[in-house]
Amino acid sequence: MMIVKLVAFIFAIVAFAFFAGFNLDNKTDIWFFFKTFHDVPVFMNSLISFVFGAFCSLLFMLLVRFKKNDSSSANKKNLKTIEKKSESAETKTSSKSKKLGKDGREGIIAKIRDLNSKEDS
């Protein structure tokens, strides 16, 4: 797999070299907001556009990753509050099951009733 990547990279470099070599005579003017650059080779325009696009893509990816991390930390906080609520509900059901008896069957029935009442609300 590494050899395929190496061959693809070499092919891309050679293709870029041919593109640059055949376009050395093609020149253009480039206006960059407040300054105009005269007689710039066309391949330089393409290269700069590609680098700028890669930079913008990298920034976008980083922003999305940071946004995911922020939302995952918020999800963790929500999960902690849900766990606290479930712990308090478990203590309530355990106190009810103690009242009903410790043979198991009555405690299980009480837990099922509590779960059904939670789903209804």
Side-chain angles (χ1 to χ4, degrees):
M1 185 69 180
M2 194 69 159
I3 291 288
V4 174
K5 288 181 182 179
L6 178 64
V7 170
F9 180 73
I10 291 172
F11 179 75
I13 295 294
V14 169
F16 177 74
F18 275 112
F19 177 73
F22 287 120
N23 287 304
L24 282 174
D25 294 333
N26 298 332
K27 301 199 185 284
T28 187
D29 293 341
I30 296 176
W31 175 78
F32 191 67
F33 298 107
F34 303 109
K35 178 147 176 74
T36 301
F37 299 99
H38 300 283
D39 296 328
V40 177
V42 172
F43 81 93
M44 287 299 292
N45 183 19
S46 300
L47 178 65
I48 291 170
S49 298
F50 177 77
V51 170
F52 183 71
F55 179 71
C56 289
S57 298
L58 181 66
L59 284 177
F60 180 74
M61 286 174 40
L62 290 174
L63 288 174
V64 167
R65 179 168 287 175
F66 286 135
K67 190 173 183 179
K68 280 185 181 179
N69 288 342
D70 289 342
S71 65
S72 67
S73 65
N75 288 339
K76 287 179 183 177
K77 289 179 183 177
N78 290 337
L79 184 61
K80 287 181 181 179
T81 57
I82 291 170
E83 287 175 355
K84 287 179 182 178
K85 288 180 181 179
S86 66
E87 286 175 1
S88 64
E90 286 177 6
T91 57
K92 288 179 184 177
T93 58
S94 64
S95 64
K96 286 182 182 178
S97 64
K98 286 179 184 176
K99 290 177 185 176
L100 293 174
K102 288 192 174 183
D103 64 347
R105 179 178 276 177
E106 295 172 34
I108 291 171
I109 293 171
K111 286 182 182 180
I112 292 171
R113 287 182 189 148
D114 289 336
L115 287 175
N116 287 338
S117 66
K118 285 182 189 177
E119 290 176 0
D120 291 340
S121 60

